[in-house]
Short mmCIF file of all heavy atoms in Angstrom, two decimals:
data_model
loop_
_atom_site.label_atom_id
_atom_site.label_comp_id
_atom_site.label_asym_id
_atom_site.label_seq_id
_atom_site.Cartn_x
_atom_site.Cartn_y
_atom_site.Cartn_z
N ARG A 29 62.15 82.85 51.15
CA ARG A 29 63.46 83.10 50.61
C ARG A 29 64.47 82.80 51.67
O ARG A 29 64.25 83.01 52.86
CB ARG A 29 63.61 84.55 50.14
CG ARG A 29 62.72 84.93 48.99
CD ARG A 29 62.96 86.39 48.60
NE ARG A 29 62.67 87.29 49.71
CZ ARG A 29 62.93 88.59 49.71
NH1 ARG A 29 63.57 89.12 48.61
NH2 ARG A 29 62.65 89.36 50.70
N ASP A 34 75.35 87.74 57.07
CA ASP A 34 76.77 87.99 56.99
C ASP A 34 77.45 87.39 58.20
O ASP A 34 77.31 87.85 59.33
CB ASP A 34 76.99 89.52 56.99
CG ASP A 34 78.50 89.86 56.69
OD1 ASP A 34 79.32 88.98 56.77
OD2 ASP A 34 78.74 91.03 56.33
N TRP A 43 84.37 85.84 73.58
CA TRP A 43 85.27 84.69 73.65
C TRP A 43 85.03 83.72 72.50
O TRP A 43 85.95 83.03 72.02
CB TRP A 43 85.17 84.03 74.97
CG TRP A 43 85.76 84.84 76.09
CD1 TRP A 43 85.08 85.49 77.06
CD2 TRP A 43 87.17 85.14 76.29
NE1 TRP A 43 85.97 86.16 77.86
CE2 TRP A 43 87.23 85.96 77.40
CE3 TRP A 43 88.31 84.79 75.57
CZ2 TRP A 43 88.46 86.47 77.85
CZ3 TRP A 43 89.55 85.26 76.01
CH2 TRP A 43 89.60 86.08 77.18
N PHE A 72 101.93 60.39 79.92
CA PHE A 72 101.75 58.95 79.73
C PHE A 72 103.03 58.29 79.16
O PHE A 72 103.13 57.05 79.23
CB PHE A 72 100.59 58.67 78.77
CG PHE A 72 99.28 59.16 79.30
CD1 PHE A 72 98.69 60.27 78.80
CD2 PHE A 72 98.61 58.45 80.33
CE1 PHE A 72 97.45 60.72 79.24
CE2 PHE A 72 97.38 58.89 80.77
CZ PHE A 72 96.82 60.00 80.23
N ASN A 113 126.29 46.58 74.25
CA ASN A 113 126.09 45.17 74.21
C ASN A 113 124.71 44.86 73.54
O ASN A 113 123.79 44.27 74.17
CB ASN A 113 126.12 44.54 75.58
CG ASN A 113 127.47 44.81 76.26
OD1 ASN A 113 128.47 44.23 75.84
ND2 ASN A 113 127.50 45.67 77.23
N LEU A 123 113.53 53.14 72.03
CA LEU A 123 113.26 54.06 70.93
C LEU A 123 114.25 55.22 70.88
O LEU A 123 114.57 55.72 69.83
CB LEU A 123 111.82 54.57 71.04
CG LEU A 123 110.70 53.56 70.84
CD1 LEU A 123 109.34 54.19 71.03
CD2 LEU A 123 110.80 52.90 69.45
N THR A 151 105.15 78.06 88.44
CA THR A 151 105.73 79.38 88.59
C THR A 151 104.94 80.42 87.81
O THR A 151 104.72 81.54 88.31
CB THR A 151 107.17 79.39 88.12
OG1 THR A 151 107.23 78.87 86.73
CG2 THR A 151 108.02 78.52 89.00
N TYR A 162 99.84 93.15 91.66
CA TYR A 162 100.78 94.24 91.86
C TYR A 162 100.62 95.33 90.85
O TYR A 162 100.50 96.56 91.23
CB TYR A 162 102.23 93.71 91.83
CG TYR A 162 103.27 94.65 92.36
CD1 TYR A 162 103.71 94.56 93.68
CD2 TYR A 162 103.87 95.63 91.52
CE1 TYR A 162 104.68 95.43 94.19
CE2 TYR A 162 104.82 96.46 91.99
CZ TYR A 162 105.23 96.37 93.31
OH TYR A 162 106.20 97.20 93.81
N VAL A 173 101.90 106.09 95.67
CA VAL A 173 101.81 104.60 95.78
C VAL A 173 102.44 104.02 94.50
O VAL A 173 103.27 103.10 94.58
CB VAL A 173 100.39 104.15 95.93
CG1 VAL A 173 100.30 102.62 95.85
CG2 VAL A 173 99.79 104.64 97.25
N MET A 200 119.90 77.64 99.72
CA MET A 200 118.92 76.61 99.44
C MET A 200 119.63 75.45 98.78
O MET A 200 120.61 75.60 98.04
CB MET A 200 117.83 77.13 98.50
CG MET A 200 116.95 78.20 99.05
SD MET A 200 115.64 78.68 97.85
CE MET A 200 114.73 77.15 97.67
N LEU A 213 110.95 84.97 91.68
CA LEU A 213 111.55 86.27 91.99
C LEU A 213 111.78 87.13 90.72
O LEU A 213 112.02 88.34 90.85
CB LEU A 213 112.85 86.09 92.72
CG LEU A 213 112.75 85.50 94.13
CD1 LEU A 213 114.15 85.27 94.70
CD2 LEU A 213 111.95 86.41 95.06
N MET A 227 95.71 98.92 83.32
CA MET A 227 94.97 99.67 84.33
C MET A 227 94.99 101.15 84.00
O MET A 227 93.94 101.85 84.11
CB MET A 227 95.59 99.44 85.70
CG MET A 227 95.02 100.34 86.80
SD MET A 227 93.25 100.12 87.05
CE MET A 227 93.24 98.53 87.92
N GLU A 232 89.97 105.20 83.68
CA GLU A 232 89.14 106.41 83.46
C GLU A 232 87.91 106.15 82.61
O GLU A 232 87.23 107.09 82.17
CB GLU A 232 90.04 107.49 82.79
CG GLU A 232 91.25 107.88 83.58
CD GLU A 232 90.90 108.52 84.93
OE1 GLU A 232 89.78 109.05 85.07
OE2 GLU A 232 91.73 108.41 85.83
N THR A 258 91.15 93.03 81.42
CA THR A 258 92.56 92.93 81.16
C THR A 258 93.02 91.48 80.96
O THR A 258 94.23 91.24 80.77
CB THR A 258 93.39 93.51 82.34
OG1 THR A 258 93.16 92.68 83.54
CG2 THR A 258 92.97 94.93 82.65
N THR A 272 109.62 80.92 78.25
CA THR A 272 110.74 81.55 78.93
C THR A 272 111.10 80.79 80.20
O THR A 272 112.26 80.59 80.57
CB THR A 272 110.41 83.02 79.25
OG1 THR A 272 110.09 83.72 78.03
CG2 THR A 272 111.53 83.71 79.95
N ALA A 278 115.75 74.95 82.02
CA ALA A 278 116.73 74.12 81.29
C ALA A 278 118.17 74.66 81.48
O ALA A 278 119.08 73.97 81.68
CB ALA A 278 116.36 74.05 79.81
N LEU A 297 118.99 66.63 81.17
CA LEU A 297 119.19 65.67 80.11
C LEU A 297 120.11 66.27 79.00
O LEU A 297 120.95 65.53 78.44
CB LEU A 297 117.86 65.25 79.51
CG LEU A 297 116.98 64.40 80.38
CD1 LEU A 297 115.60 64.21 79.77
CD2 LEU A 297 117.61 63.02 80.70
N ARG A 334 97.53 86.66 70.65
CA ARG A 334 97.73 88.09 70.45
C ARG A 334 96.93 88.63 69.24
O ARG A 334 96.26 89.66 69.34
CB ARG A 334 99.23 88.37 70.26
CG ARG A 334 99.57 89.87 70.09
CD ARG A 334 101.00 90.09 70.17
NE ARG A 334 101.70 89.29 69.11
CZ ARG A 334 103.02 89.22 69.05
NH1 ARG A 334 103.78 89.80 69.95
NH2 ARG A 334 103.58 88.49 68.08
#
Side-chain angles (χ1 to χ4, degrees):
R29 295 181 299 172
D34 190 344
W43 289 108
F72 299 104
N113 300 291
L123 293 178
T151 55
Y162 192 94
V173 174
M200 294 183 62
L213 293 176
M227 173 60 75
E232 301 299 334
T258 65
T272 302
L297 291 172
R334 181 170 58 188

